[in-house]
Amino acid sequence: MSISMYSASVPIFKAMLGNLANWLDRAEAYAAEKKFDPVVLLGTRLAPDMLPFTRQVQIACDAAKFCVARLAGIEAPRFEDNEASVADLKARIAKTLEFVSSVTAAQVDGSEDKDVTIPRREGNTVMKGEPYLKHVVLPNLFFHTTTAYALLRHNGVPLGKSDYLGLTS
């Protein structure tokens, strides 16, 4: 028996974005404990030429919302990319989770062979739904959530593998 496109996408998006929101809670608690403004974490980078923490969160959210919208054949909500605080980032995650949760299995399932158009700077790319999910979206989501995790961890936020996997309460 094969798994559905919905079960291979939406529950994973919800879990990873939920984990990301939890890491932000931990970052706020850490900043309060150490007496610094958590906004300093938002601009952190592992290397000078990489995108900062805030963009990692924005891109992770975008990966989930655009994938679900494209597979379901519906319009994704537009976000301004103007988050300037931890609360703003948590609100963006919450809006993304609300949208992703509003899409049903019936809207996504059966999209394996659907042509999906991905806008890119150099022009649109068209892929079938299943390879788009497996080879573009999921790696992209994990790349940006892992980078966000690494940035927080690098800056002292006490996170572990269980937090990444969502196995902590």
Side-chain angles (χ1 to χ4, degrees), residues 2-3 11 14 19 31 36 44 49 55 62 73 77-78 82 84 92 106 111 125 133 135 146 158 160 162:
S2 64
I3 64 171
K14 289 167 67 173
N19 293 348
F36 70 87
T44 61
D49 65 345
R55 284 297 293 146
D62 287 352
R78 300 233 181 260
N82 61 357
R92 184 185 183 115
S111 61
T125 299
L133 173 62
H135 302 291
T146 299
S162 292

Side-chain angles (χ1 to χ4, degrees), residues 2 4 9 15 26 55 67 69 82 85 100 105 111 125-126 132 157:
S2 64
S4 73
S9 60
R26 298 280 293 278
R55 284 297 293 146
C67 177
N82 61 357
S85 69
V100 167
S111 61
T125 299
V126 178
Y132 168 63
V157 178

